[in-house]
Amino acid sequence: DNERHGHRKRLYTLLADVCSWYRQVLASTKEAKDAREYLATRHISKEIQDSFCIGYAPKLSDHILTWAKRHNYTEQELIDAGIVKEGISKNDKPYRFAGRLMFAIKDSAGRVVGFSGRQIVANKRSGKYVNSPETEVFKKGHILYALDKAAAHITKSAHREAILCEGQIDCIRLHTSGFPIAVAPQGTAFTAEHSAVLKRYADSAVLVFDDDTAGHKATIKAAGILFAVGMPVRVISLPDGDDPDTFLSSADEGKGAEG
């Protein structure tokens, strides 16, 4: 038990350090220029980047391996933390997040437990998002993005109500637009396990998913799961084709929504 506890503690430290490194890479490297420009177009300021621990993962795996060696982390620890894939010596592309915008995933205590990497330039050979695999410290069904920030606001709100959305950028936009009670499932659809976690802090929920077929299906499924644990649900219907980010990014619409 002591050995396992020590290993978990080591992984938390490693993930926090990797998160800080990703932030430095985003802020200061030439390679991350496109990522900085992308964030600017999405109106995600440096202050927001700092608050939500947004960074950039270099394209070459050599960089993360060199960084780890310099900071006394082993390749096995990188594997255990979900940063690189198994079989480094046999795999010419061991790095899971190469060339991606990185969103730190934190547990309810605010500890970094994993990452979600977003493409900057569309590439059909790879998914738009790549998420950390499940590890000793990261269980997707137990993690709601931004709950570490939202929990206190939810419990102090008049009706202990949470907003449930789909993705990181939507969730960040809600927080920065005056709705700090927003959370999002991480790397998977909303599950019964998520509802159990949310119920610790919230008595009801507002669902605001994308206005498309997938979003409608996700809304119906999430509502059923929340009803099953006794949580009343309201649904926000956005204009055709909108998601929370696009809707709130408009200054006029954002003021109207917040009011």
Side-chain angles (χ1 to χ4, degrees):
D1 287 344
N2 287 338
E3 184 177 349
R4 184 177 180 183
H5 174 74
H7 183 58
R8 288 172 63 89
K9 186 176 180 180
R10 178 74 169 170
L11 291 183
Y12 286 130
T13 303
L14 165 59
L15 287 161
D17 288 347
V18 171
C19 181
S20 296
W21 181 60
Y22 286 154
R23 290 287 300 117
Q24 294 172 10
V25 174
L26 175 65
S28 62
T29 66
K30 183 177 180 180
E31 181 186 333
K33 180 182 177 183
D34 288 346
R36 292 192 293 270
E37 291 177 350
Y38 171 81
L39 289 169
T41 64
R42 300 300 294 267
H43 307 292
I44 298 176
S45 67
K46 187 177 184 302
E47 290 73 22
I48 298 172
Q49 295 168 36
D50 290 339
S51 178
F52 285 87
C53 300
I54 302 172
Y56 178 79
K59 295 177 182 178
L60 298 179
S61 58
D62 289 352
H63 292 308
I64 187 67
L65 299 177
T66 300
W67 174 89
K69 185 175 182 179
R70 188 168 65 246
H71 290 80
N72 298 314
Y73 291 114
T74 66
E75 292 178 359
Q76 186 59 51
E77 286 174 328
L78 290 176
I79 293 171
D80 292 345
I83 304 299
V84 299
K85 302 173 185 177
E86 293 275 8
I88 290 177
S89 60
K90 298 178 182 179
N91 189 339
D92 62 347
K93 293 183 179 180
Y95 195 20
R96 195 177 301 278
F97 302 110
R100 289 177 178 266
L101 191 66
M102 300 298 290
F103 296 88
I105 309 305
K106 297 183 179 182
D107 62 14
S108 58
R111 298 173 297 195
V112 179
V113 294
F115 295 95
S116 181
R118 189 193 193 284
Q119 284 182 344
I120 303 300
V121 179
N123 183 349
K124 294 182 179 179
R125 293 178 297 177
S126 180
K128 183 177 179 180
Y129 282 91
V130 170
N131 297 303
S132 291
E134 294 210 342
T135 67
E136 191 171 344
V137 298
F138 179 41
K139 305 300 179 186
K140 294 179 182 179
H142 298 168
I143 298 293
L144 287 166
Y145 183 73
L147 181 60
D148 59 305
K149 293 181 177 295
H153 296 282
I154 294 170
T155 57
K156 292 177 183 177
S157 65
H159 303 289
R160 284 174 55 92
E161 192 167 60
I163 295 175
L164 186 65
C165 60
E166 289 189 75
Q168 289 100 0
I169 291 181
D170 285 342
C171 194
I172 290 170
R173 183 66 60 210
L174 281 159
H175 274 253
T176 58
S177 297
F179 304 97
I181 57 175
V183 296
Q186 178 50 50
T188 184
F190 189 74
T191 65
E193 289 79 11
H194 285 132
S195 69
V197 172
L198 189 60
K199 193 171 173 61
R200 296 174 195 166
Y201 308 94
D203 294 330
S204 61
V206 177
L207 306 185
V208 54
F209 291 171
D210 294 357
D211 184 51
D212 55 23
T213 300
H216 298 163
K217 290 181 178 179
T219 298
I220 294 170
K221 181 179 178 182
I225 291 170
L226 291 166
F227 285 147
V229 295
M231 291 183 68
V233 172
R234 294 190 293 151
V235 176
I236 292 178
S237 179
L238 297 175
D240 290 347
D242 259 331
D243 57 34
D245 175 54
T246 58
F247 180 71
L248 291 170
S249 289
S250 165
D252 290 338
E253 288 177 336
K255 291 176 183 177
E258 191 170 351

